């Protein structure tokens, strides 16, 4: 398996796959990072072309774990050196990556991936083999998906300790807008309102509801911006949903003073989330279960854990 | 000290004051609750008039710890039996309680209070002597506040392990709207958006940002409604602030795609909150420091911890 990028995600992937007994090599754009990885015993250089050629020889899966701004350049190398390779990625938003692949490496056998794990840290040193344990790992299941490469992605996820959630690329982006990106924006708004008074009395009276509701506003702004701004269209839909609900609540509070509809809908949503904590484990037929069937598993909130 | 109400807050107050060596008696509207309290060794009956008469004889502080709907009735008994007693309360919103006191027990020497502590539980059995330890306890410092009774309230808070945050009643209500009530409404909106899609894919992909951002949506809706609906005017101002920020963000996302202003303001707010975790301890002169001076302490985010 060939991993392009040796930061938090790429570095954790290499460690987890190595621990699972897979042959792993990779590259980093930074000689310093590559040296760190080599010092930890990993086969990591800075020559992307050489790493990709080796993937072609071994018919190995190539995993892109680079920041979004670096993606197009790497895809151009894929198209030049390993044009029909088995390809997946661990970059968060799926439609944008799929579009870039279609443009810059259109012959690649690409299946999008998104391990739902991370920390506030970054870099090779922050990685660890356990990062993906018990996480959901999205494997894109669009019409026309190459089911042989989809199986490679699923097996990689399982070897890292994750469960596989199949999803259409666009449905993935809408879903993470609702549950990963919107939380950051609402936390930012709440933190700004709490700190936005004329004095510090509100902050002096803030207790656990404010602490929890603003926790992710403590994330480095660059990370939040990269994540949210890359998912603009889907995020607009999620923000509009939130604005609609907040506006309706504002109207009810101003007219009748009643908040029951808002509070009860939120309580039911939280209970639904709590129930969804326990996904049904599903087994599918390797290379045979269709993208349509796979997507239905993710829509039910369930996860693929192995082959039937 | 006479505590009217023996639920979570009243019951915890009795235990904490008793532990601090104070003479405490109380009442409950429920014979069952009173019996529970007596079984735990507390002097709790159901005869409010008798408890209030005893407060008159001892010139003791009367603490109201009843639900808002029961307040007017209790204040009528105060006016009938202990019309000029030293009076405070532990009911959350301060303007509403001050208005009720002015209407139903206008001769009482009333100073509003609000210990910023609680759990999702209720009832005598849920109470404990440590509930208020390290909490902020608001003691209302309005123009004309009776500084002798203010000192009683401060000493009660200190004996329960709390620090005292002086605040004008209306500023308290605006502050808690921002940092206690708005978080519940934003959590409800986020939970509803996450669970509001056509399927369970978003919930299957929800991670810690969603879990934290919706935690208080798990609170029993009746508790949230009682808290938020009782603070309607102040809450409208907080909701409008949030709506304005969210709407501006929506506009920026749709036009330039940029979220930097929102995310950075949120990050700064969270850092300001973190810095405010460490209030400066202030000592004031008993019965001499004026309400204006006291309010400034709270506005700075500091707290009163003893007499100078």
């Amino acid at each position: 398996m060939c991993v392009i990028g040796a930061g938090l995600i790429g570095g954790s992937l290499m460690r987890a796959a190595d621990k699972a007994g897979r042959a792993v090599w990779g590259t980093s754009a930074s000689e310093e990072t590559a040296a760190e990885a080599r010092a930890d015993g990993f086969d990591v250089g800075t020559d992307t072309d050489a790493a990709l050629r080796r993937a072609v020889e071994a018919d190995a899966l190539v995993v892109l774990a680079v920041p979004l701004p670096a993606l197009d350049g790497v895809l151009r190398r894929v198209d030049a050196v390993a044009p029909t390779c088995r390809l997946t990625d661990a970059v968060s938003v799926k439609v944008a990556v799929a579009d870039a692949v279609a443009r810059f490496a259109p012959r690649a056998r690409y299946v999008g991936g998104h391990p739902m794990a991370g920390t506030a840290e970054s870099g090779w040193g922050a990685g660890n083999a356990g990062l993906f344990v018990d996480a959901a790992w999205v494997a894109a299941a669009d019409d026309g998906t190459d089911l042989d490469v989809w199986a490679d992605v699923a097996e990689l996820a399982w070897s890292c300790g994750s469960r596989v959630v199949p999803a259409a690329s666009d449905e993935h982006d809408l879903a993470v807008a609702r549950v990963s990106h919107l939380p950051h924006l609402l936390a930012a708004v709440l933190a700004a309102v709490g700190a936005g008074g004329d004095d510090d009395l509100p902050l002096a009276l803030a207790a656990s509801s404010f602490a929890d509701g603003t926790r992710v506003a403590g994330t480095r702004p660059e990370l939040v911006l990269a994540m949210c701004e890359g998912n603009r269209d889907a995020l607009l839909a999620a923000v509009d949903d939130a604005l609609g609900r907040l506006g309706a609540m504002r109207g009810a509070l101003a007219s009748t003073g009643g908040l029951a509809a808002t509070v009860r809908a939120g309580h039911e949503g939280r209970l639904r989330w709590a129930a969804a904590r326990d996904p049904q484990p599903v087994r599918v037929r390797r290379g045979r279960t269709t993208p349509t069937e796979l997507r239905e598993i993710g829509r039910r909130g369930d996860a693929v854990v192995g082959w039937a």
Side-chain angles (χ1 to χ4, degrees), chain A residues 216-300:
Chain A
V216 293
T219 312
R220 281 198 293 128
E222 308 80 69
L223 295 180
V224 177
L225 291 172
M227 184 172 76
C228 292
E229 292 179 353
N231 198 19
R232 180 173 169 178
D233 292 341
L235 190 51
L236 267 176
V239 168
D240 283 343
D241 191 349
L243 269 170
R245 290 171 192 273
L246 201 54
M249 181 193 76
R250 199 270 174 212
L253 186 63
S255 58
T256 67
L259 293 166
T262 299
V263 171
R264 288 189 201 289
H267 190 62
E268 279 159 29
R270 172 76 183 185
L271 295 181
R272 264 187 73 188
W273 166 80
R277 292 299 78 195
D278 198 17
Q280 292 297 310
V282 177
R283 291 177 178 273
V284 301
R285 288 170 302 156
R286 192 181 201 286
R288 304 290 292 279
T289 302
T290 68
T292 306
E293 291 167 332
L294 290 170
R295 286 198 295 268
E296 281 309 312
I297 296 166
R299 285 179 183 151
R300 287 198 309 269

Side-chain angles (χ1 to χ4, degrees), chain A residues 27-306:
Chain A
T27 64
S28 169
S30 148
E31 176 52 54
E32 198 183 328
T33 298
E36 273 186 85
R38 281 195 302 272
D40 286 343
F42 287 84
D43 183 359
V44 177
T46 54
D47 186 341
T48 301
D49 284 8
L52 289 171
R53 272 193 294 268
R54 193 167 152 192
V56 172
E57 284 156 25
D59 193 22
L61 182 66
V62 176
V63 186
L64 307 181
V66 297
L68 201 58
L71 186 66
D72 296 356
V74 170
L75 286 171
R76 283 194 176 94
R77 296 322 305 155
V78 168
D79 195 52
V81 177
T84 61
C85 73
R86 299 166 180 268
L87 185 68
T88 187
D89 73 303
V91 179
S92 77
V93 180
K94 298 274 64 70
V95 171
V97 178
D99 286 351
V101 172
R103 184 163 172 205
F104 298 108
R107 295 169 292 175
R109 298 171 64 189
Y110 170 68
V111 172
H114 182 205
M116 307 288 294
T119 73
E121 315 290 301
S122 56
W124 171 270
N128 74 84
L131 186 65
F132 309 107
V133 171
D134 289 334
W137 188 310
V138 174
D142 296 302
D143 293 335
T145 286
D146 184 320
L147 291 175
D148 190 38
V149 178
W150 197 91
D152 288 347
V153 175
E155 286 166 1
L156 168 61
W158 298 332
S159 72
C160 293
S162 297
R163 62 186 182 279
V164 173
V165 178
S169 293
D170 57 350
E171 291 177 5
H172 163 276
D173 292 359
L174 288 165
V176 295
R178 286 173 183 268
V179 298
S180 288
H181 303 166
L182 183 63
H184 280 85
L185 300 183
L186 290 183
V189 166
L190 179 58
V193 172
D198 295 329
D199 55 58
D200 278 354
L201 180 65
L203 297 176
L205 301 185
S208 63
S209 62
F210 187 80
D212 286 355
T214 61
R215 184 185 59 83
V216 293
T219 312
R220 281 198 293 128
E222 308 80 69
L223 295 180
V224 177
L225 291 172
M227 184 172 76
C228 292
E229 292 179 353
N231 198 19
R232 180 173 169 178
D233 292 341
L235 190 51
L236 267 176
V239 168
D240 283 343
D241 191 349
L243 269 170
R245 290 171 192 273
L246 201 54
M249 181 193 76
R250 199 270 174 212
L253 186 63
S255 58
T256 67
L259 293 166
T262 299
V263 171
R264 288 189 201 289
H267 190 62
E268 279 159 29
R270 172 76 183 185
L271 295 181
R272 264 187 73 188
W273 166 80
R277 292 299 78 195
D278 198 17
Q280 292 297 310
V282 177
R283 291 177 178 273
V284 301
R285 288 170 302 156
R286 192 181 201 286
R288 304 290 292 279
T289 302
T290 68
T292 306
E293 291 167 332
L294 290 170
R295 286 198 295 268
E296 281 309 312
I297 296 166
R299 285 179 183 151
R300 287 198 309 269
D302 294 334
V304 182
V305 299

